[in-house]
Amino acid sequence: MWKHWVALRSQLDGQLWLRPALASLGSALLVGLALRLGALYRGPLPLDISAEALIGLLSIMASSMLAVATFSVSAVVTAVTSISNATTPRAARLILSDTTTQNVLASFIAAFIYSMIAILALEAFVFDRAGRFIVFVGLAAIVAWVLVALVRWIDHVTRLGRLETGIEKMVAAALRAVTPDNAAAWGARVYDGGPPVASAVVAADKVGMVAQIHAGGLQELAARLDAYVYLTVRPGDFGDTRTPIAYLTPVSDALREAAHEVQSCVAIASSRSFAQDIRFGLVTLAETADRALSPGINDPGTAIVILGRELEVLTRWAEIVRSQPVCETTFERVLVPPLKAAELVRDAFTAIARDGAGAVEVAIRLQKTLAALVRLDHAELTAAAVAMSQEALDQAERALVAEQHKERVRAARREVLRLAGAQSDAERNRSTEDGVNF
């Protein structure tokens, strides 16, 4: 059941038709409510408006909203195309799932549907004074909604397809994914060893990307069978019908028969999702920087901007990893592999180190970004940053032509090593002091 809900939610996420459809349904219900209540109410009313006047107003609204809605949909399609070309195709869903865009389209289409249905109802049925008054009040409310939406839309549509907007949305999605649960294991235990010796193997039920993991469902299954579930994947990993995604131990016939229940708790989708996948946000940012560094675009400034935004995401991850909630374990029978700093650093900087090696300003900014990661004083992150710094230097040594440029990158690399060495000395001193205190 959970897996079907995740699949449904992933399919509905970014669908432009959902909110307009719900708003249109509400508009139709309002007209039906006016017809029903109008026949029941016989009290005084502040306004008596004729059916002909209402039809005239509704006709104006219907004709104008049809044109506005058509223009707005065209603007959204243009913005999605522009964002996909300027950043990465993976960012298109962020534009489609933009709440402001969906609410604006919902208001325009709902106004059109309300006007059309109200005109047909006024022509087909006899509305009492109260019914006509309710239709008018509904029209006034929708006009107010449309005016507010139109003002917001004028400002929003001018920024919708810009590169800066795409980057901001990707950063926001990446930061939303950096939560204590996603940084740890969603309440499960973290293990960094191999699979258990005697265990039943569970593969995915279809080919795709791991979208989400339901640790609570796995805990219930393991408790019922008195077993342990060792997952081998995290959200963002690739799954197929032959490679293990989990091991169940100790082996029993009941465990082998429960393989489909494990599969139902690991949602496989056709593409990656931002919900539980911290790495996906960094990948989309890196793809945008890589596109900017292509010879056809040649925009190192965008790559430099993205290096700073990736540093922001990694800094948030380092802060959360140090927090107490990450260490809390709720599901003792479920074990999940850790999210390693080396994976995050590789996802964030490999493409930039490769394709930005020939631009000295990008190569130097990358080394400074890695130095900033070292300053976060996280041992695993420091080791990953030092390794990436050496890889980036090797790329720059081969790509740069001027010796002066190479020396500037080497100097930035030496700063990374100096900070890492100072951090190691500080850790050794703390260990020595702890030993003395003990």
Side-chain angles (χ1 to χ4, degrees):
M1 184 65 180
W2 172 86
K3 190 171 184 178
H4 295 304
W5 165 245
V6 170
L8 177 62
R9 189 171 61 179
S10 64
Q11 290 177 2
L12 294 179
D13 186 30
Q15 298 295 323
L16 284 179
W17 60 267
L18 182 59
R19 294 194 186 195
L22 294 176
S24 300
L25 178 61
S27 300
L29 292 176
L30 180 58
V31 175
L33 185 66
L35 180 62
R36 180 64 178 170
L37 293 181
L40 300 176
Y41 182 76
R42 292 290 184 271
L45 292 171
L47 180 67
D48 185 8
I49 186 169
S50 65
E52 292 76 11
L54 268 179
I55 291 175
L57 293 173
L58 292 167
S59 299
I60 295 173
M61 176 65 74
S63 59
S64 59
M65 285 300 100
L66 179 61
V68 172
T70 303
F71 164 76
S72 300
V73 172
S74 300
V76 172
V77 172
T78 302
V80 170
T81 303
S82 176
I83 288 292
S84 298
N85 293 333
T87 59
T88 171
R90 263 64 63 188
R93 74 180 73 174
L94 297 176
I95 300 298
L96 295 175
S97 60
D98 179 69
T99 55
T100 300
T101 300
Q102 293 183 355
N103 290 335
V104 166
L105 290 178
S107 67
F108 296 159
I109 296 175
F112 172 73
I113 297 296
Y114 177 81
S115 302
M116 291 298 299
I117 293 178
I119 290 172
L120 294 175
L122 288 169
E123 293 286 358
F125 302 100
V126 177
F127 280 73
D128 292 336
R129 289 189 312 116
R132 295 195 301 272
F133 178 74
I134 294 174
V135 172
F136 177 75
V137 170
L139 176 62
I142 289 181
V143 168
W145 182 22
V146 167
L147 289 177
V148 173
L150 190 59
V151 172
R152 296 183 63 191
W153 183 239
I154 292 173
D155 175 67
H156 192 70
V157 75
T158 58
R159 298 181 285 107
L160 194 59
R162 297 171 58 187
L163 174 62
E164 294 83 357
T165 301
I167 293 175
E168 288 297 330
K169 289 189 176 298
M170 285 186 286
V171 172
L175 290 174
R176 283 196 301 270
V178 184
T179 64
D181 280 343
N182 293 344
W186 311 281
R189 293 163 56 191
V190 175
Y191 81 103
D192 196 11
V197 177
S199 58
V201 177
V202 180
D205 56 350
K206 63 179 180 179
V207 177
M209 309 299 297
V210 178
Q212 292 191 43
I213 292 173
H214 185 23
L218 292 172
Q219 171 70 17
E220 294 177 3
L221 171 64
R224 189 176 77 244
L225 298 176
D226 192 20
Y228 290 86
V229 180
Y230 287 75
L231 290 173
T232 64
V233 294
R234 293 182 65 96
D237 292 337
F238 184 76
D240 59 65
T241 57
R242 294 297 180 182
T243 304
I245 62 171
Y247 294 96
L248 307 180
T249 186
V251 179
S252 66
D253 293 337
L255 277 182
R256 294 190 179 95
E257 295 174 356
H260 69 281
E261 296 186 55
V262 176
Q263 293 172 342
S264 67
C265 293
V266 180
I268 304 293
S270 58
S271 59
R272 297 175 73 168
S273 170
F274 290 98
Q276 288 188 351
D277 189 358
I278 296 177
R279 296 173 59 186
F280 188 42
L282 294 171
V283 167
T284 55
L285 287 169
E287 289 177 348
T288 301
D290 196 32
R291 184 183 291 259
L293 291 169
S294 64
I297 298 178
N298 192 23
D299 180 18
T302 295
I304 291 173
V305 169
I306 288 177
L307 283 171
R309 306 313 300 269
E310 289 179 327
L311 175 61
E312 180 182 354
V313 175
L314 290 171
T315 300
R316 175 76 65 85
W317 175 82
E319 293 172 351
I320 286 181
V321 165
R322 292 194 185 98
S323 64
Q324 184 64 30
V326 173
C327 303
E328 295 180 357
T329 300
T330 306
F331 308 124
E332 292 287 343
R333 292 181 175 270
V334 183
L335 295 91
V336 179
L339 177 61
K340 298 180 179 179
E343 297 173 338
L344 297 174
V345 171
R346 283 196 296 267
D347 288 338
F349 303 120
T350 298
I352 302 175
R354 180 191 64 233
D355 295 322
V360 63
E361 63 269 40
V362 176
I364 293 174
R365 177 57 61 183
L366 175 56
Q367 295 290 345
K368 291 183 177 180
T369 302
L370 295 171
L373 290 180
V374 174
R375 290 190 183 94
L376 294 177
D377 196 19
H378 184 280
E380 187 181 351
L381 197 57
T382 295
V386 170
M388 179 55 64
S389 175
Q390 180 61 54
E391 181 180 333
L393 177 62
D394 293 341
Q395 298 275 6
E397 292 275 10
R398 288 191 293 269
L400 293 173
V401 176
E403 186 62 30
Q404 297 91 332
H405 291 173
K406 294 181 181 180
E407 183 54 37
R408 290 171 62 188
V409 178
R410 294 185 193 116
R413 156 69 175 170
R414 287 194 293 270
E415 177 65 13
V416 175
L417 293 177
R418 186 190 69 79
L419 292 170
Q423 187 181 114
S424 298
D425 292 340
E427 289 179 356
R428 283 194 294 270
N429 292 335
R430 285 196 295 267
S431 300
T432 302
E433 293 173 0
D434 291 343
V436 171
N437 292 335
F438 177 79

